[in-house]
Amino acid sequence: MAERPGPLVLIGPPGAGKTSVADEMAKRTGRSRLALDAGWVAQLRRQPAIAAVEPRALVEPDGDVLPSRRRAYLMEVRERLTAAHGESTAARALEQAKARAVLDMVEGAGDDAIVDFGAGHSIYEHLDLRAAVAAALSRAFVVLLLPCAEPAAAVAILAARLAAQGRPVSAGRLAEYVEHPSNRALADATLHTGTGTIAEVAAQLVALAAEFKASGRTGPC
């Protein structure tokens, strides 16, 4: 099997614990930490299709889009692309720009990085774009975090977590994230976190990476 000397990448639905686990893993291993949510809009804005229609009023003087405005920014971009090119072309243009932004960030990540994919960054409807992201992740060890194996139960757990955090997401939307084939297509392994603490999940990831390495491929930890 081919070696995978690259980063550890965590993917999964909102509320899966990607950010908290990545922070804990970075503390445990001393590895660098990269959160795609923190910089992907800046990368997205560099894509010509997006730059041509973006709502400048939602962009800060320093060129960033505040987290509180990102949803409005993306909705406005989609509306403008749809008005200019139609819904199908708009959806592809936005997903293509998202994939390019993600690829740029992943390709710039060091081999020792722990990369936290935001929930939407691993979801691709267009199979060629999904394949391009998969190719970029071929040097990484990609782990899908889910609270449990049963989809309905996973959705209920995630909904409760997110509500407690003050960022509710509808059960229907969460079900799309949990069951979307894109996540499983990109993942090398799935970790069901159950009721484990962040520290316990991080320890499980260390063991999972060691198992991955022992199987003949080189994991990141």
Side-chain angles (χ1 to χ4, degrees), residues 50 53-58 69-83 94:
I50 304 304
V53 299
E54 73 170 6
R56 297 297 175 86
L58 295 177
R69 291 184 168 185
R70 285 176 187 170
R71 182 173 176 78
Y73 174 89
L74 292 171
M75 289 178 65
E76 183 68 19
V77 164
R78 181 180 286 276
E79 289 176 5
R80 293 184 180 191
L81 284 170
T82 299
L94 190 57

Side-chain angles (χ1 to χ4, degrees), residues 26-42:
K27 291 176 185 176
R28 282 173 172 259
T29 64
R31 294 181 180 275
S32 59
R33 167 88 166 79
L34 174 62
L36 260 61
D37 271 343
W40 86 281
V41 171

Side-chain angles (χ1 to χ4, degrees), residues 152-169:
V155 168
I157 293 169
L158 293 168
R161 284 181 187 170
L162 291 165
Q165 295 168 11
R167 50 189 189 115
V169 177

Side-chain angles (χ1 to χ4, degrees), residues 120-135:
H121 300 317
S122 58
I123 302 295
Y124 295 91
E125 304 296 342
H126 297 85
L127 296 182
D128 61 323
L129 298 179
R130 187 187 303 173
V133 173

Side-chain angles (χ1 to χ4, degrees), residues 39-56 63 73-74 77 81 85 90 92-107 124 129:
W40 86 281
V41 171
Q43 292 282 1
L44 186 76
R45 294 189 60 238
R46 295 189 179 98
Q47 311 308 316
I50 304 304
V53 299
E54 73 170 6
R56 297 297 175 86
Y73 174 89
L74 292 171
V77 164
L81 284 170
H85 306 291
R92 179 171 177 85
L94 190 57
E95 187 162 281
Q96 188 170 31
K98 178 181 75 170
R100 184 65 261 168
V102 169
L103 293 176
D104 287 346
M105 294 187 73
V106 170
E107 289 169 0
Y124 295 91
L129 298 179

